[in-house]
């Protein structure tokens, strides 16, 4: 690892001064009401929405973990990164329903479609899930990046970044988050693209790299009998997790809800989908380049998760190395800022406001700020636990999300597409689903002490992709059986919240919110996704 020099520090300093300027400008402009603090006043254009969606998604766990997947023989994991077509589903299918319902949060939408019980369950569960997955993993990955780049110890780097991000998120709210994320997305794309091009040139081009790692290494489609990544469950489980993450998770959907109207929101998701095509080339390929150089004896690292920072510090010239370092710090900060703001939104709107319905706007904003501070503290406390994670970080993240996603995806999908689904069906499916997911995580941790012939061992040892696929089918059957066994919801409750109950006026408004350009660009994005899937076939 080469340490940063004077030019690198100048680049990092300039970046942080610009970031500080944007944050201060936003803090001065903001108004003290909940719509401004949590949804940036619902007045954001498509470019900022799309860049914010992308920057929220690409955190340091992607930079570290996706490059680690590329360097650690886990290429099938890239299927999670070419889900641009799922981002389109958010804009074309889900966003119009959320906008019509006029909601701040996803639990709030579930209350309108089903009842208050569904809102409570999703609110509490989402906050816990954020701490266990997004916050903890982002801080852990960020600690690795910061300590490797800046030559400081893990704890100092992790805590400094968390505190700095927490300050501007608390003060500026959602507006500070989306505008700083736009800058961070640009910096990250430029820096990682430079590393990919320089890296490919250094190894002698794509064909030379493929020769070293062997063509079979670049195959994302393993046999159906593969113990780690069988292709049918990989395709099914990644789609289930993708719909949960991109279309129903507060963390991402909140960005689309900041848009001025459905038209800007949809275009923001189309732009976000376009950007979502980049990570495969920006982060996964550098991991493969790092592996190629290691196999040739030109680079050394201990764990695949170190591949990206080591490659960056050794290949990039002075100054540019500092810019990419700033981009990595940006990735960490944008992910943390997003999850901090989403947690405070969920707590304030879905929990505190329900308990104190008459609380004034200023009090709600203050509660959101306090909630953000508490989440920051919990995140720091969680660091030592996260430091014990074994294996490749990105795979850990996807496996945990595979246990969280099925019940939520089933409830949202059927809730919109099937008007017979009722509150009882949604409630039972979410409660049972979360219990099953929690049991699976516990069994996975203790499976070595179980009888290998027992059902519990089978459940804990089953491939996480196969488990997620069967678990989703179970949730679909459960919600249908319970809904049909109980009374149907009233027509009034369903108005404009399912496809079968959209009014003629709303259908016309929705049709006027897009044109041929939106359809053509969306089609091109889907075509590129299919091409990438076919291209990585190991030949």
């Amino acid at each position: 690892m080469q340490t940063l020099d004077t030019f690198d520090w100048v680049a990092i300093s300039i970046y942080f001064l610009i970031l500080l300027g944007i944050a201060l400008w936003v803090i001065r402009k903001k108004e003290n009401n909940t719509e401004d603090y949590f949804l940036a006043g619902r007045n954001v254009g498509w470019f900022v929405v799309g860049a914010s969606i992308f920057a929220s998604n690409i955190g340091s766990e992607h930079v570290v973990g996706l490059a680690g997947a590329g360097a650690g023989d886990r290429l099938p994991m890239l299927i999670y990164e070419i889900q641009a077509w799922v981002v389109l589903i958010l804009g074309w299918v889900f966003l119009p329903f959320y906008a019509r319902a006029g909601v701040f949060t996803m639990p709030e939408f579930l209350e309108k479609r089903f009842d208050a019980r569904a809102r409570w369950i999703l609110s509490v569960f989402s906050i816990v899930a954020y701490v266990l997955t997004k916050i903890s993993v982002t801080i852990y990955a960020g600690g690795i990046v910061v300590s490797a780049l800046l030559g400081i110890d893990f704890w100092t780097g992790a805590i400094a970044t968390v505190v700095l991000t927490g300050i501007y998120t608390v003060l500026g709210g959602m507006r500070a988050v989306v505008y700083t994320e736009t800058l961070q997305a640009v910096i990250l794309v430029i820096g990682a693209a430079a590393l990919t091009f320089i890296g490919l040139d250094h190894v002698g081009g794509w064909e030379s790299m493929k020769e070293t790692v062997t063509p079979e290494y670049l195959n994302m489609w393993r046999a159906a009998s593969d113990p780690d990544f069988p292709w049918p469950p990989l395709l099914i489980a990644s789609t289930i997790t993708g719909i949960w993450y991109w279309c129903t998770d507060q963390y991402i959907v909140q960005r689309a809800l900041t848009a001025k109207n459905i038209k800007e929101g949809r275009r923001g998701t189309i732009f976000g989908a376009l950007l979502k095509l980049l990570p495969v080339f920006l982060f996964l390929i550098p991991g493969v380049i790092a592996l190629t150089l290691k196999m040739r004896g030109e680079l050394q690292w201990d764990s695949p998760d170190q591949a990206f920072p080591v490659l960056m510090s050794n290949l990039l010239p002075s100054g540019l190395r500092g810019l990419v370092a700033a981009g990595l710090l940006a990735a960490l900060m944008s992910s943390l800022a997003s999850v901090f703001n989403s947690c405070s939104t969920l707590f304030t709107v879905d929990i505190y406001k329900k308990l104190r319905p008459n609380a004034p706007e200023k009090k709600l904003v203050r509660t959101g700020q306090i909630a953000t501070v508490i989440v920051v503290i919990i995140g720091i406390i969680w660091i030592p636990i996260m430091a014990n994670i074994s294996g490749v970080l990105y795979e850990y993240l996807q496996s945990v999300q595979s246990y969280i996603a099925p019940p939520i995806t089933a409830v949202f999908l059927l809730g919109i597409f099937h008007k017979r689904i009722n509150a009882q069906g949604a409630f039972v499916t979410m409660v049972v689903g979360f219990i099953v997911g929690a049991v699976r995580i516990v069994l996975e941790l203790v499976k070595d002490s179980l009888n290998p012939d027992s059902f519990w061992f089978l459940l804990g040892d089953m491939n996480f992709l196969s488990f997620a696929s069967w678990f989703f089918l179970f949730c679909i059957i459960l919600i249908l059986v319970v809904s049909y066994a109980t009374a149907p919801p009233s027509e009034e409750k369903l108005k404009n919240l399912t496809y079968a109950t959209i009014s003629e006026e709303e259908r016309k408004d929705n049709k006027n919110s897009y044109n041929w350009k939106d359809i053509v660009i969306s089609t091109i994005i889907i075509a590129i996704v299919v091409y990438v899937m076919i291209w990585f076939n190991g030949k």
Side-chain angles (χ1 to χ4, degrees), residues 226-255:
D226 186 86
D228 297 318
F229 302 107
W231 77 263
L234 176 69
L235 193 59
I236 296 165
S238 62
T239 303
I240 294 162
T241 307
I243 291 172
W244 162 71
Y245 180 84
W246 289 105
C247 304
T248 74
D249 193 23
Q250 183 67 23
Y251 178 72
I252 294 295
V253 177
Q254 194 168 338
R255 269 104 213 101

PDB file of all heavy atoms in Angstrom, residues 226-255:
ATOM      1  N   ASP A 226     -24.498 -26.440  -8.473  1.00  0.00           N
ATOM      2  CA  ASP A 226     -23.384 -25.760  -7.783  1.00  0.00           C
ATOM      3  C   ASP A 226     -23.764 -25.509  -6.322  1.00  0.00           C
ATOM      4  O   ASP A 226     -24.862 -25.014  -6.038  1.00  0.00           O
ATOM      5  CB  ASP A 226     -23.091 -24.431  -8.486  1.00  0.00           C
ATOM      6  CG  ASP A 226     -21.855 -23.742  -7.923  1.00  0.00           C
ATOM      7  OD1 ASP A 226     -20.749 -24.063  -8.386  1.00  0.00           O
ATOM      8  OD2 ASP A 226     -22.011 -22.894  -7.021  1.00  0.00           O
ATOM      9  N   PRO A 227     -22.862 -25.861  -5.365  1.00  0.00           N
ATOM     10  CA  PRO A 227     -23.223 -25.711  -3.948  1.00  0.00           C
ATOM     11  C   PRO A 227     -23.337 -24.253  -3.491  1.00  0.00           C
ATOM     12  O   PRO A 227     -24.050 -23.957  -2.528  1.00  0.00           O
ATOM     13  CB  PRO A 227     -22.069 -26.421  -3.216  1.00  0.00           C
ATOM     14  CG  PRO A 227     -20.928 -26.401  -4.183  1.00  0.00           C
ATOM     15  CD  PRO A 227     -21.540 -26.470  -5.545  1.00  0.00           C
ATOM     16  N   ASP A 228     -22.645 -23.332  -4.166  1.00  0.00           N
ATOM     17  CA  ASP A 228     -22.637 -21.932  -3.722  1.00  0.00           C
ATOM     18  C   ASP A 228     -23.605 -21.041  -4.491  1.00  0.00           C
ATOM     19  O   ASP A 228     -24.378 -20.289  -3.900  1.00  0.00           O
ATOM     20  CB  ASP A 228     -21.213 -21.349  -3.845  1.00  0.00           C
ATOM     21  CG  ASP A 228     -20.221 -22.066  -2.948  1.00  0.00           C
ATOM     22  OD1 ASP A 228     -20.592 -22.356  -1.800  1.00  0.00           O
ATOM     23  OD2 ASP A 228     -19.097 -22.351  -3.413  1.00  0.00           O
ATOM     24  N   PHE A 229     -23.567 -21.103  -5.840  1.00  0.00           N
ATOM     25  CA  PHE A 229     -24.376 -20.197  -6.648  1.00  0.00           C
ATOM     26  C   PHE A 229     -25.120 -20.935  -7.764  1.00  0.00           C
ATOM     27  O   PHE A 229     -24.868 -20.699  -8.945  1.00  0.00           O
ATOM     28  CB  PHE A 229     -23.487 -19.108  -7.262  1.00  0.00           C
ATOM     29  CG  PHE A 229     -22.741 -18.289  -6.253  1.00  0.00           C
ATOM     30  CD1 PHE A 229     -21.369 -18.451  -6.077  1.00  0.00           C
ATOM     31  CD2 PHE A 229     -23.401 -17.361  -5.455  1.00  0.00           C
ATOM     32  CE1 PHE A 229     -20.672 -17.700  -5.142  1.00  0.00           C
ATOM     33  CE2 PHE A 229     -22.715 -16.603  -4.523  1.00  0.00           C
ATOM     34  CZ  PHE A 229     -21.348 -16.777  -4.355  1.00  0.00           C
ATOM     35  N   PRO A 230     -26.057 -21.842  -7.421  1.00  0.00           N
ATOM     36  CA  PRO A 230     -26.842 -22.504  -8.474  1.00  0.00           C
ATOM     37  C   PRO A 230     -27.660 -21.448  -9.218  1.00  0.00           C
ATOM     38  O   PRO A 230     -28.292 -20.599  -8.598  1.00  0.00           O
ATOM     39  CB  PRO A 230     -27.737 -23.464  -7.681  1.00  0.00           C
ATOM     40  CG  PRO A 230     -27.801 -22.891  -6.293  1.00  0.00           C
ATOM     41  CD  PRO A 230     -26.502 -22.193  -6.059  1.00  0.00           C
ATOM     42  N   TRP A 231     -27.647 -21.497 -10.564  1.00  0.00           N
ATOM     43  CA  TRP A 231     -28.202 -20.360 -11.307  1.00  0.00           C
ATOM     44  C   TRP A 231     -29.712 -20.147 -11.158  1.00  0.00           C
ATOM     45  O   TRP A 231     -30.150 -18.984 -11.075  1.00  0.00           O
ATOM     46  CB  TRP A 231     -27.782 -20.415 -12.784  1.00  0.00           C
ATOM     47  CG  TRP A 231     -28.514 -21.401 -13.639  1.00  0.00           C
ATOM     48  CD1 TRP A 231     -28.116 -22.653 -13.978  1.00  0.00           C
ATOM     49  CD2 TRP A 231     -29.791 -21.205 -14.268  1.00  0.00           C
ATOM     50  NE1 TRP A 231     -29.051 -23.262 -14.771  1.00  0.00           N
ATOM     51  CE2 TRP A 231     -30.084 -22.397 -14.976  1.00  0.00           C
ATOM     52  CE3 TRP A 231     -30.708 -20.154 -14.316  1.00  0.00           C
ATOM     53  CZ2 TRP A 231     -31.258 -22.562 -15.707  1.00  0.00           C
ATOM     54  CZ3 TRP A 231     -31.876 -20.320 -15.038  1.00  0.00           C
ATOM     55  CH2 TRP A 231     -32.151 -21.504 -15.725  1.00  0.00           C
ATOM     56  N   PRO A 232     -30.582 -21.207 -11.085  1.00  0.00           N
ATOM     57  CA  PRO A 232     -32.023 -20.876 -10.959  1.00  0.00           C
ATOM     58  C   PRO A 232     -32.348 -20.124  -9.655  1.00  0.00           C
ATOM     59  O   PRO A 232     -32.998 -19.064  -9.701  1.00  0.00           O
ATOM     60  CB  PRO A 232     -32.715 -22.247 -11.032  1.00  0.00           C
ATOM     61  CG  PRO A 232     -31.721 -23.151 -11.717  1.00  0.00           C
ATOM     62  CD  PRO A 232     -30.387 -22.676 -11.238  1.00  0.00           C
ATOM     63  N   PRO A 233     -31.903 -20.615  -8.469  1.00  0.00           N
ATOM     64  CA  PRO A 233     -32.171 -19.848  -7.242  1.00  0.00           C
ATOM     65  C   PRO A 233     -31.489 -18.477  -7.239  1.00  0.00           C
ATOM     66  O   PRO A 233     -32.020 -17.529  -6.668  1.00  0.00           O
ATOM     67  CB  PRO A 233     -31.589 -20.731  -6.128  1.00  0.00           C
ATOM     68  CG  PRO A 233     -31.511 -22.097  -6.704  1.00  0.00           C
ATOM     69  CD  PRO A 233     -31.248 -21.901  -8.162  1.00  0.00           C
ATOM     70  N   LEU A 234     -30.319 -18.375  -7.894  1.00  0.00           N
ATOM     71  CA  LEU A 234     -29.621 -17.085  -7.966  1.00  0.00           C
ATOM     72  C   LEU A 234     -30.490 -16.052  -8.675  1.00  0.00           C
ATOM     73  O   LEU A 234     -30.658 -14.919  -8.209  1.00  0.00           O
ATOM     74  CB  LEU A 234     -28.283 -17.253  -8.699  1.00  0.00           C
ATOM     75  CG  LEU A 234     -27.474 -15.966  -8.940  1.00  0.00           C
ATOM     76  CD1 LEU A 234     -26.940 -15.404  -7.626  1.00  0.00           C
ATOM     77  CD2 LEU A 234     -26.324 -16.209  -9.910  1.00  0.00           C
ATOM     78  N   LEU A 235     -31.091 -16.453  -9.788  1.00  0.00           N
ATOM     79  CA  LEU A 235     -31.939 -15.552 -10.574  1.00  0.00           C
ATOM     80  C   LEU A 235     -33.200 -15.172  -9.792  1.00  0.00           C
ATOM     81  O   LEU A 235     -33.583 -13.996  -9.732  1.00  0.00           O
ATOM     82  CB  LEU A 235     -32.323 -16.244 -11.893  1.00  0.00           C
ATOM     83  CG  LEU A 235     -32.951 -15.383 -12.987  1.00  0.00           C
ATOM     84  CD1 LEU A 235     -32.027 -14.246 -13.399  1.00  0.00           C
ATOM     85  CD2 LEU A 235     -33.310 -16.232 -14.190  1.00  0.00           C
ATOM     86  N   ILE A 236     -33.823 -16.166  -9.149  1.00  0.00           N
ATOM     87  CA  ILE A 236     -35.068 -15.918  -8.397  1.00  0.00           C
ATOM     88  C   ILE A 236     -34.797 -15.071  -7.155  1.00  0.00           C
ATOM     89  O   ILE A 236     -35.459 -14.053  -6.918  1.00  0.00           O
ATOM     90  CB  ILE A 236     -35.736 -17.263  -7.992  1.00  0.00           C
ATOM     91  CG1 ILE A 236     -36.163 -18.044  -9.245  1.00  0.00           C
ATOM     92  CG2 ILE A 236     -36.944 -17.017  -7.094  1.00  0.00           C
ATOM     93  CD1 ILE A 236     -36.499 -19.503  -8.976  1.00  0.00           C
ATOM     94  N   ALA A 237     -33.806 -15.494  -6.347  1.00  0.00           N
ATOM     95  CA  ALA A 237     -33.529 -14.807  -5.076  1.00  0.00           C
ATOM     96  C   ALA A 237     -33.052 -13.377  -5.299  1.00  0.00           C
ATOM     97  O   ALA A 237     -33.435 -12.462  -4.556  1.00  0.00           O
ATOM     98  CB  ALA A 237     -32.490 -15.590  -4.274  1.00  0.00           C
ATOM     99  N   SER A 238     -32.223 -13.153  -6.332  1.00  0.00           N
ATOM    100  CA  SER A 238     -31.731 -11.792  -6.590  1.00  0.00           C
ATOM    101  C   SER A 238     -32.882 -10.873  -7.018  1.00  0.00           C
ATOM    102  O   SER A 238     -32.888  -9.687  -6.676  1.00  0.00           O
ATOM    103  CB  SER A 238     -30.636 -11.810  -7.660  1.00  0.00           C
ATOM    104  OG  SER A 238     -31.133 -12.299  -8.889  1.00  0.00           O
ATOM    105  N   THR A 239     -33.866 -11.414  -7.745  1.00  0.00           N
ATOM    106  CA  THR A 239     -35.027 -10.612  -8.158  1.00  0.00           C
ATOM    107  C   THR A 239     -35.895 -10.254  -6.954  1.00  0.00           C
ATOM    108  O   THR A 239     -36.348  -9.106  -6.811  1.00  0.00           O
ATOM    109  CB  THR A 239     -35.865 -11.381  -9.209  1.00  0.00           C
ATOM    110  OG1 THR A 239     -35.025 -11.700 -10.323  1.00  0.00           O
ATOM    111  CG2 THR A 239     -37.036 -10.547  -9.686  1.00  0.00           C
ATOM    112  N   ILE A 240     -36.126 -11.231  -6.058  1.00  0.00           N
ATOM    113  CA  ILE A 240     -36.929 -10.988  -4.839  1.00  0.00           C
ATOM    114  C   ILE A 240     -36.265  -9.901  -3.990  1.00  0.00           C
ATOM    115  O   ILE A 240     -36.910  -8.936  -3.557  1.00  0.00           O
ATOM    116  CB  ILE A 240     -37.070 -12.290  -4.012  1.00  0.00           C
ATOM    117  CG1 ILE A 240     -37.885 -13.326  -4.789  1.00  0.00           C
ATOM    118  CG2 ILE A 240     -37.715 -12.008  -2.657  1.00  0.00           C
ATOM    119  CD1 ILE A 240     -37.721 -14.746  -4.262  1.00  0.00           C
ATOM    120  N   THR A 241     -34.955 -10.061  -3.758  1.00  0.00           N
ATOM    121  CA  THR A 241     -34.210  -9.084  -2.954  1.00  0.00           C
ATOM    122  C   THR A 241     -34.198  -7.731  -3.660  1.00  0.00           C
ATOM    123  O   THR A 241     -34.324  -6.688  -3.012  1.00  0.00           O
ATOM    124  CB  THR A 241     -32.753  -9.564  -2.717  1.00  0.00           C
ATOM    125  OG1 THR A 241     -32.781 -10.876  -2.167  1.00  0.00           O
ATOM    126  CG2 THR A 241     -32.014  -8.639  -1.777  1.00  0.00           C
ATOM    127  N   GLY A 242     -34.058  -7.761  -5.001  1.00  0.00           N
ATOM    128  CA  GLY A 242     -34.019  -6.519  -5.771  1.00  0.00           C
ATOM    129  C   GLY A 242     -35.316  -5.735  -5.665  1.00  0.00           C
ATOM    130  O   GLY A 242     -35.298  -4.512  -5.463  1.00  0.00           O
ATOM    131  N   ILE A 243     -36.454  -6.406  -5.778  1.00  0.00           N
ATOM    132  CA  ILE A 243     -37.756  -5.717  -5.686  1.00  0.00           C
ATOM    133  C   ILE A 243     -37.937  -5.138  -4.283  1.00  0.00           C
ATOM    134  O   ILE A 243     -38.399  -4.006  -4.119  1.00  0.00           O
ATOM    135  CB  ILE A 243     -38.914  -6.667  -6.057  1.00  0.00           C
ATOM    136  CG1 ILE A 243     -38.840  -6.995  -7.557  1.00  0.00           C
ATOM    137  CG2 ILE A 243     -40.275  -6.055  -5.725  1.00  0.00           C
ATOM    138  CD1 ILE A 243     -39.800  -8.068  -8.023  1.00  0.00           C
ATOM    139  N   TRP A 244     -37.556  -5.909  -3.253  1.00  0.00           N
ATOM    140  CA  TRP A 244     -37.638  -5.387  -1.877  1.00  0.00           C
ATOM    141  C   TRP A 244     -36.781  -4.135  -1.735  1.00  0.00           C
ATOM    142  O   TRP A 244     -37.245  -3.091  -1.263  1.00  0.00           O
ATOM    143  CB  TRP A 244     -37.161  -6.450  -0.871  1.00  0.00           C
ATOM    144  CG  TRP A 244     -36.817  -5.858   0.466  1.00  0.00           C
ATOM    145  CD1 TRP A 244     -37.680  -5.357   1.386  1.00  0.00           C
ATOM    146  CD2 TRP A 244     -35.499  -5.674   1.015  1.00  0.00           C
ATOM    147  NE1 TRP A 244     -36.987  -4.870   2.485  1.00  0.00           N
ATOM    148  CE2 TRP A 244     -35.650  -5.054   2.272  1.00  0.00           C
ATOM    149  CE3 TRP A 244     -34.210  -5.970   0.572  1.00  0.00           C
ATOM    150  CZ2 TRP A 244     -34.561  -4.733   3.087  1.00  0.00           C
ATOM    151  CZ3 TRP A 244     -33.125  -5.653   1.376  1.00  0.00           C
ATOM    152  CH2 TRP A 244     -33.306  -5.037   2.612  1.00  0.00           C
ATOM    153  N   TYR A 245     -35.524  -4.216  -2.176  1.00  0.00           N
ATOM    154  CA  TYR A 245     -34.562  -3.132  -1.954  1.00  0.00           C
ATOM    155  C   TYR A 245     -34.897  -1.891  -2.786  1.00  0.00           C
ATOM    156  O   TYR A 245     -34.926  -0.777  -2.268  1.00  0.00           O
ATOM    157  CB  TYR A 245     -33.149  -3.624  -2.313  1.00  0.00           C
ATOM    158  CG  TYR A 245     -32.073  -2.589  -2.120  1.00  0.00           C
ATOM    159  CD1 TYR A 245     -31.483  -2.387  -0.877  1.00  0.00           C
ATOM    160  CD2 TYR A 245     -31.646  -1.788  -3.185  1.00  0.00           C
ATOM    161  CE1 TYR A 245     -30.505  -1.428  -0.701  1.00  0.00           C
ATOM    162  CE2 TYR A 245     -30.664  -0.826  -3.009  1.00  0.00           C
ATOM    163  CZ  TYR A 245     -30.096  -0.651  -1.772  1.00  0.00           C
ATOM    164  OH  TYR A 245     -29.126   0.307  -1.596  1.00  0.00           O
ATOM    165  N   TRP A 246     -35.168  -2.090  -4.082  1.00  0.00           N
ATOM    166  CA  TRP A 246     -35.344  -0.951  -4.981  1.00  0.00           C
ATOM    167  C   TRP A 246     -36.757  -0.382  -4.981  1.00  0.00           C
ATOM    168  O   TRP A 246     -36.948   0.807  -5.256  1.00  0.00           O
ATOM    169  CB  TRP A 246     -34.975  -1.352  -6.417  1.00  0.00           C
ATOM    170  CG  TRP A 246     -33.505  -1.556  -6.593  1.00  0.00           C
ATOM    171  CD1 TRP A 246     -32.846  -2.748  -6.711  1.00  0.00           C
ATOM    172  CD2 TRP A 246     -32.498  -0.546  -6.634  1.00  0.00           C
ATOM    173  NE1 TRP A 246     -31.500  -2.537  -6.822  1.00  0.00           N
ATOM    174  CE2 TRP A 246     -31.252  -1.187  -6.779  1.00  0.00           C
ATOM    175  CE3 TRP A 246     -32.530   0.854  -6.566  1.00  0.00           C
ATOM    176  CZ2 TRP A 246     -30.047  -0.486  -6.861  1.00  0.00           C
ATOM    177  CZ3 TRP A 246     -31.331   1.552  -6.644  1.00  0.00           C
ATOM    178  CH2 TRP A 246     -30.114   0.879  -6.793  1.00  0.00           C
ATOM    179  N   CYS A 247     -37.760  -1.210  -4.701  1.00  0.00           N
ATOM    180  CA  CYS A 247     -39.155  -0.762  -4.886  1.00  0.00           C
ATOM    181  C   CYS A 247     -39.940  -0.570  -3.597  1.00  0.00           C
ATOM    182  O   CYS A 247     -40.995   0.072  -3.613  1.00  0.00           O
ATOM    183  CB  CYS A 247     -39.903  -1.756  -5.778  1.00  0.00           C
ATOM    184  SG  CYS A 247     -39.128  -2.019  -7.366  1.00  0.00           S
ATOM    185  N   THR A 248     -39.472  -1.146  -2.467  1.00  0.00           N
ATOM    186  CA  THR A 248     -40.274  -1.064  -1.241  1.00  0.00           C
ATOM    187  C   THR A 248     -39.484  -0.592  -0.033  1.00  0.00           C
ATOM    188  O   THR A 248     -40.053  -0.420   1.036  1.00  0.00           O
ATOM    189  CB  THR A 248     -40.888  -2.449  -0.890  1.00  0.00           C
ATOM    190  OG1 THR A 248     -39.856  -3.307  -0.369  1.00  0.00           O
ATOM    191  CG2 THR A 248     -41.512  -3.116  -2.096  1.00  0.00           C
ATOM    192  N   ASP A 249     -38.176  -0.374  -0.192  1.00  0.00           N
ATOM    193  CA  ASP A 249     -37.349  -0.008   0.962  1.00  0.00           C
ATOM    194  C   ASP A 249     -37.282   1.511   1.100  1.00  0.00           C
ATOM    195  O   ASP A 249     -36.956   2.214   0.139  1.00  0.00           O
ATOM    196  CB  ASP A 249     -35.947  -0.588   0.790  1.00  0.00           C
ATOM    197  CG  ASP A 249     -35.150  -0.516   2.084  1.00  0.00           C
ATOM    198  OD1 ASP A 249     -35.783  -0.442   3.153  1.00  0.00           O
ATOM    199  OD2 ASP A 249     -33.915  -0.524   2.030  1.00  0.00           O
ATOM    200  N   GLN A 250     -37.578   1.985   2.293  1.00  0.00           N
ATOM    201  CA  GLN A 250     -37.583   3.424   2.576  1.00  0.00           C
ATOM    202  C   GLN A 250     -36.303   4.114   2.106  1.00  0.00           C
ATOM    203  O   GLN A 250     -36.327   5.213   1.553  1.00  0.00           O
ATOM    204  CB  GLN A 250     -37.748   3.628   4.092  1.00  0.00           C
ATOM    205  CG  GLN A 250     -37.832   5.073   4.532  1.00  0.00           C
ATOM    206  CD  GLN A 250     -39.093   5.756   4.045  1.00  0.00           C
ATOM    207  OE1 GLN A 250     -40.080   5.105   3.749  1.00  0.00           O
ATOM    208  NE2 GLN A 250     -39.064   7.063   3.938  1.00  0.00           N
ATOM    209  N   TYR A 251     -35.197   3.448   2.308  1.00  0.00           N
ATOM    210  CA  TYR A 251     -33.854   3.963   2.018  1.00  0.00           C
ATOM    211  C   TYR A 251     -33.730   4.444   0.574  1.00  0.00           C
ATOM    212  O   TYR A 251     -33.154   5.497   0.308  1.00  0.00           O
ATOM    213  CB  TYR A 251     -32.900   2.795   2.306  1.00  0.00           C
ATOM    214  CG  TYR A 251     -31.440   2.998   2.060  1.00  0.00           C
ATOM    215  CD1 TYR A 251     -30.692   3.816   2.897  1.00  0.00           C
ATOM    216  CD2 TYR A 251     -30.795   2.326   1.021  1.00  0.00           C
ATOM    217  CE1 TYR A 251     -29.332   3.954   2.694  1.00  0.00           C
ATOM    218  CE2 TYR A 251     -29.440   2.456   0.824  1.00  0.00           C
ATOM    219  CZ  TYR A 251     -28.722   3.281   1.661  1.00  0.00           C
ATOM    220  OH  TYR A 251     -27.378   3.415   1.469  1.00  0.00           O
ATOM    221  N   ILE A 252     -34.286   3.709  -0.372  1.00  0.00           N
ATOM    222  CA  ILE A 252     -34.209   4.064  -1.792  1.00  0.00           C
ATOM    223  C   ILE A 252     -35.439   4.860  -2.236  1.00  0.00           C
ATOM    224  O   ILE A 252     -35.325   5.906  -2.889  1.00  0.00           O
ATOM    225  CB  ILE A 252     -34.075   2.794  -2.669  1.00  0.00           C
ATOM    226  CG1 ILE A 252     -32.733   2.098  -2.408  1.00  0.00           C
ATOM    227  CG2 ILE A 252     -34.247   3.124  -4.158  1.00  0.00           C
ATOM    228  CD1 ILE A 252     -31.511   2.897  -2.815  1.00  0.00           C
ATOM    229  N   VAL A 253     -36.627   4.387  -1.865  1.00  0.00           N
ATOM    230  CA  VAL A 253     -37.872   5.004  -2.354  1.00  0.00           C
ATOM    231  C   VAL A 253     -37.983   6.460  -1.904  1.00  0.00           C
ATOM    232  O   VAL A 253     -38.507   7.307  -2.629  1.00  0.00           O
ATOM    233  CB  VAL A 253     -39.110   4.197  -1.884  1.00  0.00           C
ATOM    234  CG1 VAL A 253     -40.399   4.888  -2.330  1.00  0.00           C
ATOM    235  CG2 VAL A 253     -39.062   2.786  -2.434  1.00  0.00           C
ATOM    236  N   GLN A 254     -37.435   6.773  -0.729  1.00  0.00           N
ATOM    237  CA  GLN A 254     -37.506   8.147  -0.210  1.00  0.00           C
ATOM    238  C   GLN A 254     -36.895   9.145  -1.196  1.00  0.00           C
ATOM    239  O   GLN A 254     -37.333  10.278  -1.301  1.00  0.00           O
ATOM    240  CB  GLN A 254     -36.784   8.235   1.140  1.00  0.00           C
ATOM    241  CG  GLN A 254     -37.094   9.512   1.900  1.00  0.00           C
ATOM    242  CD  GLN A 254     -36.599   9.451   3.342  1.00  0.00           C
ATOM    243  OE1 GLN A 254     -36.394   8.373   3.890  1.00  0.00           O
ATOM    244  NE2 GLN A 254     -36.406  10.580   3.962  1.00  0.00           N
ATOM    245  N   ARG A 255     -35.876   8.691  -1.948  1.00  0.00           N
ATOM    246  CA  ARG A 255     -35.255   9.571  -2.946  1.00  0.00           C
ATOM    247  C   ARG A 255     -36.252   9.925  -4.057  1.00  0.00           C
ATOM    248  O   ARG A 255     -36.338  11.060  -4.492  1.00  0.00           O
ATOM    249  CB  ARG A 255     -34.041   8.878  -3.580  1.00  0.00           C
ATOM    250  CG  ARG A 255     -32.774   9.149  -2.868  1.00  0.00           C
ATOM    251  CD  ARG A 255     -32.257   8.010  -2.010  1.00  0.00           C
ATOM    252  NE  ARG A 255     -31.574   8.549  -0.855  1.00  0.00           N
ATOM    253  CZ  ARG A 255     -32.089   8.631   0.368  1.00  0.00           C
ATOM    254  NH1 ARG A 255     -33.298   8.197   0.627  1.00  0.00           N
ATOM    255  NH2 ARG A 255     -31.406   9.144   1.350  1.00  0.00           N
TER     256      ARG A 255
END
